[in-house]
Amino acid sequence: MTPPTALTVIRNRAAIAEELRRLLPRMEGFRTAKTLSFGLSAIDRYLPLGGLACGALHEVVPDDRATPSALGFIAALLARLPRTHPLLFVIPAYGLRHYGRPHGHGLSALGLDPRRLIMVETAHRRDTLWAMEEALRSGAPAAVAGAIDKLDLK
């Protein structure tokens, strides 16, 4: 079996991202803010409307071995969301083996109240994507975050 080409990987990633975008809830009043500010003018001034668009799909791609930093960034970003709905974080178990699981005290230090967070640990990539898709379809969480190391449409 030949490994996928870079173009195939990009196409797979784009197809999955497009499907997740399609599933984003369109519920009236669910998201009151149009953007989520970082609270740092040095960053916000370079973003359209001064922040990340709410109700949209955003991707964080860390360098090798920077996964803990990326998860910390995502946790700090999720902490800025209004506290009206829970947050869902989906992580495959194999993705945690080198770094351990997020800890309540660490999340609190990043400004994220661990009581708001629903952690879902999956066995496989496809389960991670399925859980994210179902959460988006339900419209219940304020945000859905997931960690996926590779995208494969098989």
Side-chain angles (χ1 to χ4, degrees):
M1 185 169 154
T2 61
T5 66
L7 184 58
T8 302
V9 170
I10 290 169
R11 284 183 181 151
N12 289 351
R13 186 176 220 98
I16 290 172
E18 185 54 40
E19 178 61 14
L20 291 173
R21 274 189 196 95
R22 187 185 68 74
L23 293 169
L24 287 169
R26 306 278 188 249
M27 295 168 28
E28 188 76 27
F30 182 74
R31 289 176 176 76
T32 56
K34 300 245 188 251
T35 61
L36 178 64
S37 165
F38 280 84
L40 299 167
S41 63
I43 295 173
D44 291 337
R45 70 175 166 231
Y46 292 103
L47 296 170
L49 302 174
L52 292 176
C54 291
L57 181 67
H58 301 286
E59 184 177 17
V60 175
V61 182
D63 285 339
D64 291 340
R65 298 188 183 164
T67 300
S69 299
L71 292 176
F73 171 75
I74 292 168
L77 191 59
L78 292 175
R80 300 194 56 77
L81 289 169
R83 289 173 166 73
T84 55
H85 296 296
L87 306 167
L88 186 75
F89 204 44
V90 187
I91 304 176
Y94 63 83
L96 301 171
R97 67 178 164 247
H98 299 297
Y99 310 111
R101 289 171 177 79
H103 192 272
H105 293 298
L107 294 171
S108 291
L110 294 167
L112 180 59
D113 181 354
R115 294 173 295 184
R116 295 184 62 203
L117 192 62
I118 299 170
M119 294 287 297
V120 176
E121 189 173 303
T122 60
H124 303 285
R125 285 176 197 94
R126 68 178 178 273
D127 298 333
T128 303
L129 290 170
W130 177 85
M132 291 171 63
E133 180 179 338
E134 290 301 310
L136 288 170
R137 192 182 312 274
S138 77
V144 177
I148 301 170
D149 60 341
K150 298 179 207 169
L151 294 176
D152 187 354
L153 293 179
K154 291 181 187 173

